[in-house]
């Protein structure tokens, strides 16, 4: 469809001899904005404040996108810098004249970049790599994928086109014409598809860049090196390429290595050994391969969750079930951090679309202003929230009456509750990090190795009531003095930048405990030694006495002395420190459901997220074929008993009839039944001779419906009986 916004420009830019239809596609940015606006305009709950919610949703959407891109660049910076240094080093090697450098110059420098199995995240990494290479090393960078390089000529064509910026002629004239039509470039400007053409083009480019004014002196060798940049070819998905195509391409490139400074980058998802499996020794020996390992996807996800979700600066929150769904999809499906971020954005969109009170899910000052602008209908929605009902039940009778009847008083209370919710988040995340710091160093990780695991436990219930938490406290009592002091110092570093008043008070108490630990001197050690000596002295007496009565008496005395043993100063201080940590946990790590108005910020519909992200195509197809009214919204298709109307599409009728058959379906019986149903839809007289008869049109419609069912995987042809098909699915939706 033509964008009406550009209609005036369209008339001015489409002058043609013959009449025709011209299509002008809007920009991607405009499409995306219109899509978000359409979501809030169509079926939006609480349409009165939909504009404000849309603006808040778009601001948070853009913040997620921007923060993710910055975080991605920071995580990939180390490996990208290593790749840039590798390309510079390989380029400088060609300028040297020693024997070792000449031997390496006869090989093609190759970087094997192991990115992991999270393939959807690779595009962003390769895009950043290409931009950095073009900015600081070489303008000649070409990226290719296996799906567009099925044959050698296609690979050669893509490489030359992306390096030279022109249409490259191949042997197939029809393909050449099609490429020219797609790119809009004239055929007479095309170049021949060979590396010799690329060498001539490269020499022309380097001569133009190196030639200066006649009166100037010759440039330095380092400058000449920069004027002859390498030609970098990036294979994004190395495993997916045809091995024969890669082998032939590398063999051809090796013949031009003296004329053309080629360099390869292999994007590997599995293991570096795939190079040996794909390329024989005669080909791999032509490459000078260096391995580069990127950050693992699980570490990447841990950083994203830590920076993007576990922060009080981001007002939108996910409850435990939604977080569990997103993490499960990540761990058991694609390991894609990019898809995880899309899941967070989907939850954000659903929250602002379905929750009218999400207008309060913003920064503190703006939320307090929005509270005063709430309508009576919005205040009634607040009164219906479960968390607010629990809050009202805890108040006295007069306060309950005011909260349920007085709108102005309710607004004042909501402002206070919004402030309390912000304070809860400011205190929750630092204490969560402190607890993770203490427990992640324990054996067997009782509360999880990753902070997201501990966060999920805290979201579900009181963490201090968990058996694993109690086991962790017991293990902390067994730590040595140095280990415990080190962990407490890390906790102090976590609390130090927090500006919350309660966290500042907690920091003061923690620093006092650390000072007491440092004041433990040798006197405490001597006390411990004296106690141990008093305990071990009966053991020495046991060696002298052999009488059974005396032995029993001595053992009883040892048992009593152990029970009445006094705690050492370190043990007293250790218990005090752990009690302090336990108090912080009980004060600040209660589940968010315990906070009033938590529904404003927390999205809890895990079923919606699972339905959108973890789709079940077979169920959707069966639902569409069984109930076409659900999708087509045609009143003629509406039925009450679950049957399919005779006015339904042909494929729906054929599908419903095939459900009544067994493992093998007789095509002729199926056709007759189909013709009977279709004849009823045509309002023919059931007593007439032509009712249910199969004509050419019905026969063609039936064949098409059967072919569509076969394409969807419901039936297949069988060799058992020539006029039968086999049914492949069983059970309904």
């Amino acid at each position: 469809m033509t964008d009406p916004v550009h209609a005036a420009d369209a008339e001015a830019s489409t002058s043609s001899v013959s009449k025709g239809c011209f299509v002008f596609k809007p920009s991607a940015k405009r499409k995306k904005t219109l899509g978000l606006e359409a979501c809030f305009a169509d079926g939006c709950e609480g349409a009165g404040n939909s504009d404000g919610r849309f603006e808040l949703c778009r601001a948070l959407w853009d913040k997620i996108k921007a923060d993710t891109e910055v975080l991605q660049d920071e995580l990939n910076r180390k490996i990208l810098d290593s790749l840039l240094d590798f390309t510079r080093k390989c380029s400088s090697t060609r300028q040297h004249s020693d024997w070792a450098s000449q031997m390496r110059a006869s090989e093609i420098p190759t970087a094997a970049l192991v990115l992991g199995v999270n393939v959807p995240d690779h595009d962003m990494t390769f895009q950043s790599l290409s931009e950095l290479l073009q900015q600081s090393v070489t303008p000649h960078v070409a990226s290719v994928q296996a799906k567009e390089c099925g044959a050698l000529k296609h690979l050669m064509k893509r490489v030359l086109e992306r390096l030279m910026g022109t249409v490259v002629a191949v042997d197939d004239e029809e393909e050449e014409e099609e490429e020219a039509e797609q790119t809009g470039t004239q055929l007479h400007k095309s170049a021949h598809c060979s590396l010799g053409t690329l060498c001539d083009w490269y020499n022309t480019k380097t001569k133009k860049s190196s030639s200066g004014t006649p009166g100037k002196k010759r440039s330095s060798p380092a400058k000449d090196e920069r004027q002859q940049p390498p030609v970098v070819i990036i294979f994004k998905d190395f495993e997916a390429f045809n091995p024969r195509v890669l082998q032939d391409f590398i063999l051809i490139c090796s013949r031009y290595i003296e004329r053309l400074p080629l360099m390869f980058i292999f994007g590997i998802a599995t293991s570096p050994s795939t190079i040996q499996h794909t390329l024989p020794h005669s080909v791999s020996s032509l490459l000078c391969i260096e391995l580069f390992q990127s950050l693992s996807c699980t570490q990447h996800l841990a950083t994203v969750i830590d920076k993007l979700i576990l922060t009080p600066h981001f007002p939108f929150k996910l409850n435990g079930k939604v977080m569990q769904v997103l993490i499960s999809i990540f761990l058991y499906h694609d390991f894609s951090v990019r898809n995880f971020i899309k899941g967070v954005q989907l939850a954000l969109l659903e929250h602002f679309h379905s929750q009218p009170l999400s207008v309060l899910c913003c920064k503190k000052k703006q939320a307090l202003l929005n509270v005063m602008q709430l309508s009576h209908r919005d205040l009634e929605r607040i009164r219906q929230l479960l968390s607010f009902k629990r809050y009202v039940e805890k108040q006295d009778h007069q306060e309950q009456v005011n909260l349920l009847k007085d709108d102005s008083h309710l607004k004042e209370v909501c402002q206070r509750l919004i402030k309390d919710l912000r304070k809860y988040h400011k205190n929750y995340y630092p204490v969560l990090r402190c607890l993770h710091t203490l427990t992640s160093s324990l054996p067997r990780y009782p509360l999880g190795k990753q902070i997201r695991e501990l966060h999920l436990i805290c979201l579900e219930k009181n963490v201090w009531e968990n058996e694993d938490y109690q086991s962790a406290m017991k293990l902390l009592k067994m730590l040595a003095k140095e280990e415990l002091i080190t962990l407490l110092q890390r906790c102090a570093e976590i609390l130090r930048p927090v500006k919350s008043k309660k966290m500042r008070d907690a920091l003061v108490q923690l620093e006092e405990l650390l000072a007491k630990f440092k004041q433990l001197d040798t006197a405490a050690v001597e006390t411990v030694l004296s106690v141990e000596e008093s305990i071990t002295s009966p053991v020495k007496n046991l060696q002298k006495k052999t009488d059974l009565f005396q032995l029993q008496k001595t053992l009883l005395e040892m048992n009593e002395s152990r029970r009445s043993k006094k705690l050492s100063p370190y043990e007293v201080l250790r218990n005090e420190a752990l009690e302090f940590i336990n108090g912080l946990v009980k004060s600040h790590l209660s589940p968010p459901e315990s906070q009033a108005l938590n529904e404003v910020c927390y999205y809890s519909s895990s079923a919606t997220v699972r339905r959108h992200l973890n789709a079940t195509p077979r169920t959707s197809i069966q639902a569409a074929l069984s109930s076409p009214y659900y999708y087509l919204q045609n009143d003629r298709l509406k039925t009450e008993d679950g049957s399919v109307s005779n006015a339904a599409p042909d494929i729906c009728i054929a599908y419903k009839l095939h459900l009544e058959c067994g493992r093998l379906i007789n095509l002729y019986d199926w056709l007759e039944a189909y013709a009977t149903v279709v004849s009823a839809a045509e309002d023919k007289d059931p007593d007439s001779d032509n009712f249910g008869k199969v004509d050419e049109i019905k026969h063609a419609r039936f064949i098409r419906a059967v072919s569509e069912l076969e394409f969807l995987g419901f039936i297949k042809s069988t060799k058992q009986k020539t006029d039968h098909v086999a049914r492949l699915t069983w059970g309904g939706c």
Side-chain angles (χ1 to χ4, degrees), residues 422-613:
R422 296 294 185 273
K423 292 178 182 178
Y424 165 77
H425 289 143
K426 284 185 177 180
N427 299 329
Y428 174 87
Y429 295 111
V431 177
L432 179 72
R433 297 180 195 281
C434 289
L435 182 59
H436 174 256
T437 300
L438 292 170
T439 58
S440 61
S441 60
L442 298 176
R444 293 184 295 178
Y445 310 110
L447 291 177
K449 184 178 181 180
Q450 301 289 342
I451 191 172
R452 65 171 183 264
E453 300 171 0
L454 178 59
H455 178 56
L456 290 176
I457 296 175
C458 295
L459 289 178
E460 292 176 359
K461 59 180 181 180
N462 295 330
V463 65
W464 58 88
E465 298 176 357
N466 195 315
E467 294 181 1
D468 294 332
Y469 174 82
Q470 298 172 5
S471 300
M473 289 294 107
K474 292 179 181 179
L475 290 174
L476 286 174
K477 291 183 179 181
M478 300 179 184
L479 291 179
K481 175 183 174 182
E482 292 77 9
E483 295 178 358
L484 183 60
I485 292 176
T486 301
L487 294 177
L488 293 177
Q489 288 175 345
R490 293 178 185 174
C491 293
E493 294 174 359
I494 294 173
L495 298 178
R496 192 164 287 116
V498 183
K499 298 180 180 180
S500 171
K501 183 178 183 301
K502 292 185 177 180
M503 292 298 101
R504 287 199 296 266
D505 295 341
L507 177 62
V508 172
Q509 298 181 37
L510 185 57
E511 289 178 343
E512 291 177 356
L513 288 172
L514 289 172
K516 291 180 181 179
F517 273 111
K518 293 180 180 179
Q519 291 174 359
L520 290 177
D521 51 8
T522 56
V525 179
E526 293 176 357
T527 304
V528 174
L529 292 176
S530 63
V531 172
E532 290 180 353
E533 185 177 355
S534 64
I535 295 174
T536 56
S537 58
V539 178
K540 296 180 180 178
N541 296 330
L542 286 176
Q543 299 174 355
K544 301 178 181 178
K545 302 173 182 179
T546 57
D547 185 69
L548 183 60
F549 176 76
Q550 293 294 335
L551 177 62
Q552 185 178 5
K553 181 180 177 180
T554 306
L555 290 175
L556 289 174
E557 291 176 355
M558 290 176 59
N559 191 22
E560 288 295 330
S561 63
R562 286 175 178 173
R563 288 180 181 178
S564 61
K565 185 186 70 169
K566 294 183 180 180
L567 296 177
S568 67
Y570 165 70
E571 291 173 337
V572 173
L573 195 55
R574 178 197 62 196
N575 293 342
E576 183 182 351
L578 294 181
E579 284 297 326
F580 167 73
I581 296 295
N582 192 36
L584 282 180
V585 170
K586 291 183 178 180
S587 301
H588 304 296
L589 288 189
S590 57
E593 283 79 7
S594 63
Q595 304 298 315
L597 302 186
N598 67 85
E599 295 91 344
V600 169
C601 299
Y602 282 84
Y603 180 71
S604 58
S605 181
S606 58
T608 303
V609 175
R610 185 184 298 276
R611 185 174 68 251
H612 285 297
L613 296 181

Side-chain angles (χ1 to χ4, degrees), residues 9 571 663:
D9 297 336
E571 291 173 337
R663 189 176 66 86

